[in-house]
Amino acid sequence: MPTALITGASSGIGREFADQLAAMGHDLVIVARRDDALQQVKAEIETAAGVSVEVLPADLADRTQLQRVADRASDADRPIDVLVNNAGFGLAKPFLDNPVEDEERLLDVLVRATLVLSHAAGTAMRERKGGRIINVSSVAGWMASGTYAAAKSWVTVFSESLAGQLAGTGVTVTAVCPGFVHTDFHSAGDIDRSSTPGFMWVPLKDVVSQGLAAAEQGKTICVPGTQYKVLTTLLRAAPRPLIRSRRIASTHRNQE
């Protein structure tokens, strides 16, 4: 039975990845900071799907704890077939209004953890000549809206680069780039999205199912939702001064 390791698996997009992968017959290794939340997810998924769920509590901003997850991702005796780098959070204030420690933590979780775990799992997958890496990025990565957007831009470009390096090895890399999704992401970051129109929200199940389908097909970039496919096409073609405009940046800060 294949095994998937998912970070940020206690809620939101990560939990939906866990549910859908379990329903497809994958055993799971679920990672998040809170052990009690992970134990609840474990009990619910094992009951519903009849798969094995391993709990691995870790704060991915902590280098020692991150290494423990990396060691699990590279364990040759207990191979990981699917890695989902999903853990992340947003900051409501502009860069200079946040404590620099908060900004560093954001980069540690969104960027460094994705790099370290992709290296660990990718190396093991390449040796076995098979596996899938799914990095949850964001439509925000095509915008100029703070550190979050910059981090997600890195995730997307990194995924494209790694996918090219692994071409022909049997290992695929997919960046899933959602727009607005109803999860606890915004409330956790104290981000007000009450004025966002309804048509801009993509159902959580659709984001994950489309991401998994894209990974299965070996696609490198997946943008769930027709509205965001159109938006990202426009953003890629738009002049950079327009992308840098304050109105565009503030409207689309922190997507997931």
Side-chain angles (χ1 to χ4, degrees):
M1 186 174 289
T3 300
L5 189 155
I6 306 162
T7 68
S10 60
S11 63
I13 292 176
R15 170 62 193 268
E16 185 64 26
F17 266 109
D19 286 338
Q20 292 196 27
L21 284 164
M24 295 165 61
H26 288 69
D27 287 335
L28 303 177
V29 180
I30 54 175
V31 180
R33 285 184 297 167
R34 291 177 48 207
D35 180 70
D36 58 340
L38 289 174
Q39 294 293 344
Q40 181 66 31
V41 173
K42 169 184 170 70
E44 292 173 358
I45 290 180
E46 287 185 337
T47 299
V51 299
S52 173
V53 179
E54 176 184 344
V55 167
L56 185 52
D59 180 351
L60 299 183
D62 182 291
R63 191 63 182 85
T64 300
Q65 296 183 48
L66 173 61
Q67 186 59 48
R68 189 166 69 246
V69 181
D71 291 343
R72 179 63 184 87
S74 61
D75 190 338
D77 296 327
R78 298 179 295 163
I80 296 299
D81 302 282
V82 181
L83 168 67
V84 181
N85 283 309
N86 164 76
F89 61 95
L91 299 172
K93 297 178 182 179
F95 173 69
L96 295 179
D97 294 335
N98 291 316
V100 71
E101 294 82 5
D102 291 350
E103 294 284 350
E104 289 180 306
R105 178 176 174 78
L106 184 145
L107 288 179
D108 285 342
V109 175
L110 271 64
V111 173
R112 189 179 70 179
T114 297
L115 182 151
V116 170
L117 297 182
S118 294
H119 191 278
T123 301
M125 291 175 179
R126 184 178 62 181
E127 292 176 355
R128 299 196 311 271
K129 297 181 170 58
R132 285 178 282 159
I133 297 173
I134 300 172
N135 294 325
V136 178
S137 188
S138 174
V139 167
W142 282 285
M143 301 173 188
S145 54
T147 317
Y148 179 86
K152 290 302 188 180
S153 178
W154 182 92
V155 171
T156 301
V157 175
F158 169 73
S159 300
E160 291 180 292
S161 174
L162 185 57
Q165 293 176 35
L166 290 171
T169 66
V171 183
T172 64
V173 183
T174 302
V176 181
C177 305
F180 292 120
V181 186
H182 283 298
T183 67
D184 61 359
F185 177 88
H186 298 104
S187 59
D190 195 25
I191 301 165
D192 183 11
R193 291 262 60 107
S194 59
S195 62
T196 303
F199 73 89
M200 294 299 291
W201 297 89
V202 179
L204 177 58
K205 290 182 181 296
D206 292 352
V207 168
V208 172
S209 63
Q210 290 179 38
L212 288 173
E216 182 67 25
Q217 296 162 16
K219 294 182 178 179
T220 304
I221 301 291
C222 170
V223 179
T226 301
Q227 66 273 52
Y228 288 108
K229 288 180 173 64
V230 173
L231 176 61
T232 54
T233 299
L234 294 174
L235 287 171
R236 294 177 194 183
R240 290 307 296 178
L242 176 62
I243 301 302
R244 291 194 296 269
S245 72
R246 184 167 182 175
R247 182 174 181 181
I248 293 291
S250 62
T251 298
H252 296 284
R253 182 181 292 118
N254 298 324
Q255 296 289 314
E256 292 158 27

